[in-house]
């Protein structure tokens, strides 16, 4: 496989994974609602038939137990969609491998069950390894076409899928058998070295695991002997590592996501990001953060990874240092982890001012740390911001109404990747110099020059002139009209210069269908080039289907 092909496959894989986790938002919303109902019923004491605390606690538990399976199905679907594999075949293949391993592991009591939330990394690994294995096997083994087309579409993966199933099950069972017997003894040795060091490592690694969409602390605790979490973190107070973690490290959930959400509401500029933040806020108050992790998302988000790691680590270091100096009396150690910030400190310490003030300080510090990253991220996701940067960079005074690219509306995971590219492209344009080159049109019979085509070029700071390779990204983002308007204005200036020299050439320029569909833009271009010997060509990269575009094209021909 060539490097270009590998890079393209990696990009497609990243898009599919982000799609998978974003699609989980409705499910995480429901599981979050179930937790809040349990809390409300528990505090109120309300009982009415099946509407009672015990019943909803069981419902919440079942929803959480099936969360790994839901993620597996989502990843399987989106991977199959992106890599053009029969969706049902691949979903059922991943499901069969997952269920088989689950059933086999249940017979060995030394291995914890997947559906109990343990070994949660399998729900992500199984679809990925199944895809790699299925594609590899399919290249070498296939089913000859002996059926009609409809049957072939269902059966062409029969042999590769069967081989993938048996190979996967054998490998996973073998590896997990070794894994389960060796890993706990390895990690248990860490505890004898230093519990605070292991606690620090747990915090860091669990957040790194969250970045790939897997429940971080649950996965880490599965692979370690987590009994130390119930031990006292300080010799001078009755505060366990787990209570310390809930009280001062991750208010709002992993990544101290309450600080992240408030930073978005304070300094965020994108409607989508602010919408997710508003939706996630009430849940984050109860330390439930799956909505912001999967919906914003944090998963595979390079821009927010650094503060997502930094804030809880800084919280832990500062709080640990403060509590080693100042003693806080703990009056109640049974406060649930879903208790909101400030309330949990008040109940656990009997209203100690230092504990509440420390929480407030860390919350505000987290907001300050998140703000610059949030601003950069939300700006990159805002097409209005990118359009403004481009119009300012090209010195166009009018802010054109452009369509927001389909990819930027329908799939937020592609927003991340596309807007990173657009941000780099606009920065390149604004730091360089756009210019027009005039390519001669030669009559093949007379060999005479009969006109010119205006072509866009970019002169970089180092003097190198390159072709406009960036146009596709800008067109995808709905910014083609701005570029076309700039070309029209630049062409008008050249035509004036040519006329002063007594030169009146016939020149053609390209128009994107989005430009033609934009009434204001097409009329401004027409006004600029009125009475000039200019022809317009529609670029081949898009099909002209918009009714308004067709009407404007007819109007342009007549004007």
């Amino acid at each position: 496989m060539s490097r270009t092909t590998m890079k393209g496959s990696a990009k497609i894989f990243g898009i599919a994974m982000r799609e998978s986790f974003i699609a989980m938002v409705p499910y995480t919303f429901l599981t979050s609602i179930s937790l809040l109902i349990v809390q409300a019923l528990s505090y109120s004491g309300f009982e009415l038939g099946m509407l009672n605390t015990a019943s909803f606690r069981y419902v919440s538990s079942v929803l959480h137990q099936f969360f790994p399976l839901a993620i597996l199905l989502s990843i399987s679907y989106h991977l199959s969609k992106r890599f053009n594999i029969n969706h049902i075949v691949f979903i059922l293949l991943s499901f069969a491998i997952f269920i088989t391993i689950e059933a086999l592991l249940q017979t060995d009591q030394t291995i914890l069950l997947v559906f109990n939330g343990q070994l949660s990394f399998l729900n992500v690994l199984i679809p990925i390894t199944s895809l790699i294995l299925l594609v590899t096997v399919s290249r070498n083994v296939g089913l000859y076409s002996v059926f009609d087309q409809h049957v072939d579409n269902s059966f062409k993966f029969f042999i590769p899928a069967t081989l993938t199933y048996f190979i996967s099950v054998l490998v996973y069972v073998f590896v997990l058998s070794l894994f389960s017997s060796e890993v706990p003894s390895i990690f248990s040795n860490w505890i004898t070295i230093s519990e605070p060091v292991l606690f620090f490592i747990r915090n860091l690694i669990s957040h790194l695991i969250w970045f790939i969409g897997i429940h971080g602390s649950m996965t880490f605790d599965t692979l370690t002997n987590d009994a130390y979490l119930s031990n006292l973190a300080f010799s001078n107070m009755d505060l366990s590592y787990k209570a310390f973690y809930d009280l001062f490290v991750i208010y709002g959930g992993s990544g101290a996501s309450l600080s992240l959400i408030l930073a978005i509401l304070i300094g965020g500029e994108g409607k989508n990001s602010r919408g997710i933040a508003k939706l996630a806020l009430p849940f984050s108050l109860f330390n439930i953060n799956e909505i912001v992790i999967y919906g914003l998302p944090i998963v595979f988000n390079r821009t927010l990874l650094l503060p997502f790691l930094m804030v809880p680590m800084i919280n832990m270091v500062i709080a640990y240092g403060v509590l080693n100096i100042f003693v806080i009396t703990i009056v109640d150690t049974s406060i649930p982890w879903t208790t909101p910030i400030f309330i949990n400190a008040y109940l656990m310490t009997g209203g100690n001012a230092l504990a509440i003030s420390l929480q407030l300080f860390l919350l505000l510090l987290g907001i300050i740390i998140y703000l610059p990253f949030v601003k950069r991220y939300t700006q990159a996701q805002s097409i209005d911001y990118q359009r403004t940067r481009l119009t300012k960079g090209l010195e166009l005074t009018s802010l054109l109404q452009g369509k927001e690219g389909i990819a930027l509306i329908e799939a937020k995971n592609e927003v991340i990747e596309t807007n990173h590219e657009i941000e780099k492209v606009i920065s390149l344009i604004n730091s360089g110099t756009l210019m027009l080159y005039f390519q001669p049109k030669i009559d093949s019979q007379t060999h005479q020059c009969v006109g010119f085509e205006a072509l866009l070029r970019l002169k970089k700071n180092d003097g190198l002139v390159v072709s406009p390779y960036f146009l596709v990204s800008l067109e995808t983002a709905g910014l083609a009209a701005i570029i076309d308007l700039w070309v029209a204005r630049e062409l008008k200036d050249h035509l004036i210069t040519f006329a002063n020299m007594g030169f009146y050439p016939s020149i053609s320029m390209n128009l994107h269908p989005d430009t033609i569909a934009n009434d204001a833009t097409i009329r401004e271009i027409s006004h600029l080039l009125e009475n000039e010997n200019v022809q317009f060509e529609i670029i081949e990269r898009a099909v002209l289907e918009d009714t308004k575009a067709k009407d404007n094209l007819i109007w342009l021909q007549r004007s």
Side-chain angles (χ1 to χ4, degrees):
M1 183 181 294
S2 67
R3 181 177 298 180
T4 301
T5 303
M6 291 179 63
K7 184 177 181 181
S9 297
K11 184 175 182 180
I12 294 172
F13 171 78
I15 290 173
M17 294 300 289
R18 283 191 293 270
E19 280 180 329
S20 304
F21 291 114
I22 291 170
M24 289 300 299
V25 170
Y27 192 93
T28 59
F29 183 82
L30 291 176
T31 56
S32 300
I33 286 288
S34 69
L35 273 175
L36 293 185
I37 292 175
V38 170
Q39 287 294 104
L41 292 176
S42 177
Y43 287 136
S44 66
F46 179 81
E47 301 280 340
L48 181 61
M50 289 187 294
L51 298 178
N52 56 72
T53 304
S55 296
F56 268 94
R57 183 172 285 113
Y58 178 72
V59 169
S60 177
S61 174
V62 171
L63 286 172
H64 278 83
Q65 286 177 12
F66 276 87
F67 189 76
L69 179 60
I71 289 182
L72 176 132
L73 298 178
S74 181
I75 294 175
S76 299
Y77 169 75
H78 287 95
L79 284 177
S80 64
K81 181 179 72 172
R82 286 293 176 179
F83 285 90
N84 196 28
I85 298 173
N86 186 295
H87 302 339
I88 298 299
V89 169
F90 190 69
I91 289 172
L92 292 179
L93 173 62
S94 298
F95 178 79
I97 295 171
F98 183 82
I99 294 299
T100 300
I101 295 173
E102 165 69 13
L104 291 173
L105 295 185
Q106 286 190 38
T107 64
D108 186 347
Q109 297 303 311
T110 64
I111 302 176
L112 295 170
L113 303 184
V114 177
F115 275 95
N116 283 342
Q118 309 297 331
L119 299 179
S120 59
F121 51 84
L122 287 181
N123 53 14
V124 175
L125 284 182
I126 285 176
I128 296 172
T129 56
S130 298
L131 173 71
I132 296 172
L133 191 56
L134 182 63
V135 171
T136 302
V137 173
S138 298
R139 290 197 185 109
N140 301 287
V141 180
L143 184 66
Y144 290 104
S145 179
V146 295
F147 307 107
D148 61 46
Q149 182 179 358
H150 297 291
V151 178
D152 274 349
N153 287 336
S154 298
F155 280 86
K156 67 180 179 179
F157 287 110
F158 176 74
I159 294 177
T162 302
L163 290 174
T164 298
Y165 169 81
F166 283 109
I167 294 173
S168 297
V169 169
L170 290 174
V171 171
Y172 273 112
V173 170
F174 175 75
V175 172
L176 289 173
S177 298
L178 297 176
F179 194 63
S180 62
S181 61
E182 296 294 335
V183 172
S185 62
I186 294 174
F187 281 97
S188 63
N189 291 333
W190 289 16
I191 300 177
T192 61
I193 298 172
S194 172
E195 288 183 357
V197 171
L198 179 57
F199 184 63
F200 184 90
I201 293 173
R202 175 188 186 267
N203 195 14
L204 178 61
I205 294 181
S206 64
H207 281 78
L208 284 171
I209 294 173
W210 268 118
F211 180 68
I212 59 174
I214 302 174
H215 195 296
S217 55
M218 182 181 294
T219 301
F220 186 85
D221 292 342
T222 299
L223 303 177
T224 66
N225 184 349
D226 61 352
Y228 77 96
L229 290 176
S230 60
N231 295 341
L232 296 181
F234 306 91
S235 59
N236 55 359
M237 69 183 76
D238 185 23
L239 187 67
S240 68
Y241 283 101
K242 181 64 173 65
F244 172 73
Y245 190 69
D246 294 338
L247 203 61
F248 296 112
V249 179
I250 57 158
Y251 38 81
S254 296
S257 55
L258 183 57
S259 290
L260 168 60
I261 291 171
L262 294 176
I264 293 173
L265 295 178
I266 293 171
E269 299 189 20
K271 293 181 180 179
N272 289 334
S273 299
R274 292 178 63 85
I276 290 293
K278 290 177 182 178
L279 177 65
L281 179 59
F283 299 98
S284 184
L285 292 175
F286 292 89
N287 302 313
I288 302 168
N289 70 336
E290 280 82 0
I291 291 176
V292 71
I293 282 182
Y294 294 120
L296 189 59
I298 294 296
V299 178
F300 290 106
N301 190 331
R302 294 168 294 175
T303 304
L304 295 179
L305 173 60
L306 183 58
F308 184 73
L309 296 175
M310 283 175 54
V311 173
M313 302 304 290
I314 291 174
N315 289 348
M316 184 178 65
V317 171
I318 293 177
Y320 197 81
V322 170
L323 296 182
N324 266 301
I325 299 173
F326 301 97
V327 178
I328 295 177
T329 301
I330 305 299
V331 299
D332 189 351
T333 59
S334 62
I335 305 302
W337 63 270
T338 52
T339 307
I341 187 175
F342 305 134
I343 297 177
N344 58 3
Y346 182 88
L347 295 175
M348 191 174 291
T349 66
N352 184 280
L354 176 60
I356 298 173
S357 300
L358 182 57
Q359 282 191 329
L360 177 60
F361 171 77
L362 294 176
L363 177 67
L364 295 176
L365 180 62
I367 294 173
I368 293 171
I369 294 173
Y370 267 117
L371 270 174
F373 294 93
V374 162
K375 186 172 183 179
R376 179 186 172 193
Y377 172 72
T378 56
Q379 283 180 344
Q381 308 323 303
S382 171
I383 199 63
D384 289 332
Y385 170 76
Q386 301 292 14
R387 189 182 296 118
T388 301
R389 286 186 64 210
L390 185 58
T391 53
K392 287 182 178 179
L394 299 182
E395 298 180 351
L396 296 175
T397 56
S398 60
L399 183 61
L400 300 177
Q401 178 184 3
K403 73 163 189 174
E404 301 206 0
I406 295 176
L408 304 180
I409 295 296
E410 296 181 348
K412 195 169 190 304
N413 61 297
E414 294 191 35
V415 173
I416 298 172
E417 199 65 36
T418 302
N419 275 304
H420 276 309
E421 181 65 26
I422 292 169
E423 188 174 12
K424 291 189 292 185
V425 165
I426 294 177
S427 296
L428 176 64
I429 291 174
N430 290 344
S431 65
T433 303
L434 282 182
M435 59 177 59
L436 290 185
Y437 269 36
F438 295 93
Q439 177 175 281
K441 293 182 177 181
I442 306 299
D443 189 305
S444 59
Q445 295 182 349
T446 64
H447 303 290
Q448 298 294 315
C449 178
V450 295
F452 299 86
E453 181 178 4
L455 300 176
L456 188 63
R457 294 292 183 265
L458 174 67
K459 183 177 181 181
K460 301 170 74 173
N461 288 336
D462 58 6
L464 181 66
V465 177
V466 297
S467 61
Y469 61 88
F470 48 80
L471 285 183
V472 174
S473 294
L474 295 179
E475 290 162 5
T476 301
L479 301 175
I482 295 176
I483 295 295
D484 286 349
L485 178 56
W486 183 89
V487 170
R489 291 188 176 184
E490 191 73 6
L491 177 57
K492 177 66 175 181
D493 291 340
H494 279 81
L495 289 172
I496 293 173
T497 301
F498 293 155
N500 292 334
M501 300 168 57
F503 181 46
Y504 301 93
S506 172
I507 298 179
S508 64
M509 67 168 285
N510 293 324
L511 289 179
H512 191 276
D514 291 352
T515 303
I516 299 173
N518 190 309
D519 291 340
T521 306
I522 203 64
R523 279 159 176 73
E524 186 166 355
I525 290 176
S526 177
H527 176 72
L528 276 171
L529 300 175
E530 189 177 6
N531 300 321
E532 299 289 355
N533 189 8
V534 176
Q535 293 82 43
F536 299 103
E537 298 178 2
I538 302 174
I539 65 170
E540 298 86 355
R541 280 191 291 274
V543 179
L544 189 63
E545 295 179 347
D546 191 283
T547 303
K548 183 182 293 185
K550 293 179 181 178
D551 293 340
N552 283 337
L553 187 59
I554 295 172
W555 179 86
L556 191 62
Q557 289 175 327
R558 293 174 178 174
S559 61

